[in-house]
Amino acid sequence: MELPDRAAPGVETLASAAADAACALADAAGPAGWNLAAAEDAADAIDTLAAALADIDPEAARLLAAIPAATKALLHHFGQEQEADAAGPATAARPSQLPKPRRRGLGPGWQGLTDVSAER
């Protein structure tokens, strides 16, 4: 599959910022700079980006289907408690049935704070 030359508005800029942030995080943390909370946040980011790329087409979904199971196994390796409802492997579900990771941040609709006293 060939992707179009132009991305949707803002997508290329956000993808570039995500790549820059990932590089900065890797440089800042190094092997000894992680704790469980930071690893969970990084795994959430990986899952979110993998889910977004998997939405492109069925082949992309097939190629990225193992990512959620891999990040979950990584967090378990780091000591995160397993949820009781996570008995079966994630690879048993079709990629379109995999749950999307929870969104973090304020989202694209956030308009900032307004100063009520300045409007009077």
Side-chain angles (χ1 to χ4, degrees):
M1 168 183 189
E2 198 168 313
L3 293 175
D5 290 337
R6 300 186 111 196
V11 171
E12 194 169 344
T13 302
L14 290 170
S16 178
D20 291 342
C23 290
L25 175 61
D27 290 343
W34 294 92
N35 67 2
L36 184 57
E40 287 173 341
D41 287 342
D44 283 346
I46 291 168
D47 287 343
T48 301
L49 291 172
L53 289 169
D55 285 344
I56 294 172
D57 74 353
E59 181 64 10
R62 185 190 68 76
L63 292 168
L64 296 169
I67 300 297
T71 55
K72 186 174 191 169
L74 179 68
L75 293 175
H76 179 66
H77 171 72
F78 290 150
Q80 183 187 56
E81 294 295 322
Q82 292 294 311
E83 298 173 8
D85 62 346
T91 55
R94 290 191 342 224
S96 62
Q97 294 173 332
L98 293 174
K100 292 199 177 212
R102 72 178 193 272
R103 290 189 59 98
R104 298 184 65 92
L106 298 174
W110 184 68
Q111 298 295 314
L113 301 173
T114 57
D115 186 6
V116 178
S117 63
E119 294 177 2
R120 292 184 187 177

